[in-house]
Amino acid sequence: MTTAPARGSTDVESKGLKGGALGLVGSVVVGVASTAPAYSLAASLGFIVASGGSLLAGVKSPGIILLAFVPMYFIAVAYQELNKAEPDCGTTFTWASRAFGPKTGWMGGWGIIAADVIVMANLAQIAGSYSFTLVGKLFNDDAISALSGDVFWSTVAGLAWIAIMTYICYRGIEVSARLQYALLGIEVVILVVFAVFALVKVYTGTAESYSLTPDISWFLPFDLDFSTVIAPAILTAVFIYWGWDTAVSINEESDDPGRTPGRAAIISTLLLLVTYALVAVATIAFAGVGTDGVGLGNPENASDVFSAIGPDLFGDSAFGGIMLALLYISILTSASASTQTTILPTARTALSMAVYKAVPESFAKIHPKFLTPTWSTVGMGIISAAFYLLFTLISPTLLSALIGSVGLLIAFYYGLTGFACVWYYRRTLTATFRDFMMRGVIPLLGGLMLTAVFVFGLIQYALPDWLTDENDENVTIFGIGAVAVVGVGSLVLGVILMLIMRWRSPAFFKGQTLERRSDLILAGEHYPVGIRLPDSEETTVIARDLSNLPTGLIAVDLETGKRFQKKKRGAPDTTDAPDAPDAPSGDSTP
């Protein structure tokens, strides 16, 4: 195979970020905290169970959550493998550009940015509302608690949270990580206590009259219709896992950029699966899936199931009051933590896009002291605040449409990452069985799964009666389901912005700043044959003596399966290939 010269994958400090700031534990914490387990379940579990008062997955919701884990794990594997080749903070943007070209890569980056900006409105709403709920509970002041339902004051509080978390992200990745340790610890402990408390009440017969006893069939959703139930439910369930990729987007600030972020992504998804399965089963068992009382089928409970269930679960005793306050704290810390960790990947995606001149170069500015993106971070906060205000002014009800819309965008850019992994490594997929599975089969299946749920979910989301408000009126835009309009509309906006940037900054779109590339293959007597896209304009062959192999990149001999990597002067070989010590080495990057 041939390839154009490119910068080495170990050159991860070129953007000015603070390298080595996070280890594996810190990366896992950021990855899990980014998903905001308490907030995600509170905001989405009701929509997995039912939609607009009509039963959707019902008691099979834990099975949907388990099913949604499969493509999430598969895509996490794709992230891990691509990160080994190029630990760039642009993640999907960079990898898709390398594999498919600039236009596809730009849309991948936009998918990340759009999803993060949209979800910030929902996060800010939850954080703002719970701020008053918690303060009112702590001071036993119903007047303060009532402000949680006031659109004006909850919006003011939400904007304040966006400003605070933007500032923390601006101050540095280490400050952000230390805060996440505390917030995540509170959140997980309270979620586990909530689940245990609910299950004890169910099994001791002291729960609600409509409570249910957990059954193994809850994890088997295969008797549900795929197009009308499973696909849209999975799109919502995907939302609760979304965020682990933050661990990869901060790869340039980790202690081992090529290995630590990928491992953190895998560990994060596994930890989330266990947490979500426990809490979802306990919540459904206690509340049931009907429309009475705190039932999860009740539309009034859909947007915040924990707030609806909490008072009935913990009761009016002093202990119950303390537990309820702790539950509110967990949701508030969850939403605020996710507000912060949503800003992190978006700022770094914008930074990477700016470095490669795909967006205005001002977004590439780095703070000289804090070593964080300046314009990218502040810009993310300002744009998120503006979007939140816009949706609130149009109709606060539209905020409930954002979860599904974000699910569409997640499926889009996660799926694209899976396909990018397969195509990037297409030349070496058969080098080993491990490569064939981890770089080919698993990422491809993840991409195909997410593509299927995107298509079928979009069809359902576009139905006028898919989402209804408290007055049982359809939530639509131009007569089409608001969930579909916001999701697809954001992608259309991305195409428009891409065309503008193509006109203003042609270098990136001509492939001059971020070249197409795939896994490097050591030159033999003949060029390798196989599937090719009309992108093969590479002119440089990797020589047998590695004289033109960029430092840090790996070349693979297809005949023997051996991997070769040049060394920097005086540095040990860092490749994880078992036969690397036999490879020739060089003194400098050509």
Side-chain angles (χ1 to χ4, degrees), residues 70-254:
V70 177
M72 288 298 96
Y73 175 77
F74 286 177
I75 298 303
V77 170
Y79 266 77
Q80 181 183 45
E81 295 304 312
L82 285 167
N83 188 70
K84 290 178 181 178
E86 187 159 8
D88 189 284
C89 66
T91 60
T92 301
F93 158 73
T94 305
W95 302 329
S97 296
R98 292 292 194 199
F100 299 126
K103 291 187 288 294
T104 304
W106 201 97
M107 286 304 298
W110 172 255
I112 298 174
I113 294 173
D116 288 345
V117 169
I118 290 174
V119 81
M120 283 290 281
N122 196 281
L123 286 166
Q125 181 194 36
I126 293 288
S129 176
Y130 267 91
S131 297
F132 293 111
T133 301
L134 177 60
V135 173
K137 186 68 178 177
L138 293 177
F139 291 95
N140 196 27
D141 191 325
D142 293 337
I144 296 178
S145 297
L147 293 177
S148 63
D150 186 282
V151 175
F152 175 79
W153 286 110
S154 62
T155 302
V156 170
L159 291 173
W161 276 111
I162 291 177
I164 292 170
M165 291 307 170
T166 299
Y167 175 72
I168 291 174
C169 292
Y170 183 86
R171 284 297 304 268
I173 188 66
E174 290 171 310
V175 176
S176 299
R178 286 196 294 269
L179 178 62
Q180 292 302 325
Y181 277 103
L183 297 181
L184 183 63
I186 295 171
E187 183 179 350
V188 172
V189 169
I190 295 175
L191 276 180
V192 172
V193 171
F194 173 88
V196 171
F197 206 87
L199 290 174
V200 167
K201 279 205 162 189
V202 169
Y203 281 107
T204 57
T206 57
E208 306 296 321
S209 59
Y210 42 80
S211 295
L212 305 170
T213 302
D215 189 271
I216 191 64
S217 65
W218 291 9
F219 289 96
L220 303 173
F222 305 107
D223 57 338
L224 301 176
D225 183 76
F226 179 81
S227 62
T228 61
V229 178
I230 293 180
I234 284 182
L235 277 179
T236 304
V238 160
F239 174 79
I240 69 176
Y241 287 105
W242 177 51
W244 52 262
D245 52 308
T246 300
V248 186
S249 70
I250 56 174
N251 47 20
E252 298 190 26
E253 294 150 283
S254 68

Side-chain angles (χ1 to χ4, degrees), residues 14 25 104 107 147 164 174 242 248 256 304 355 358 386 406 446 460 501 503 525 528 532 550:
S14 59
V25 174
T104 304
M107 286 304 298
L147 293 177
I164 292 170
E174 290 171 310
W242 177 51
V248 186
D256 187 351
D304 188 354
V355 167
V406 171
Q460 297 302 309
M501 285 306 305
W503 168 64
E525 295 181 359
R532 296 174 70 87

Side-chain angles (χ1 to χ4, degrees), residues 29 47 103 123 125 192 197 251 325 331 384 416 465 536 538 541:
V29 167
F47 291 108
K103 291 187 288 294
L123 286 166
Q125 181 194 36
V192 172
F197 206 87
N251 47 20
I331 298 173
S384 298
L416 179 60
D465 60 348
S536 301
E538 309 98 332
V541 178

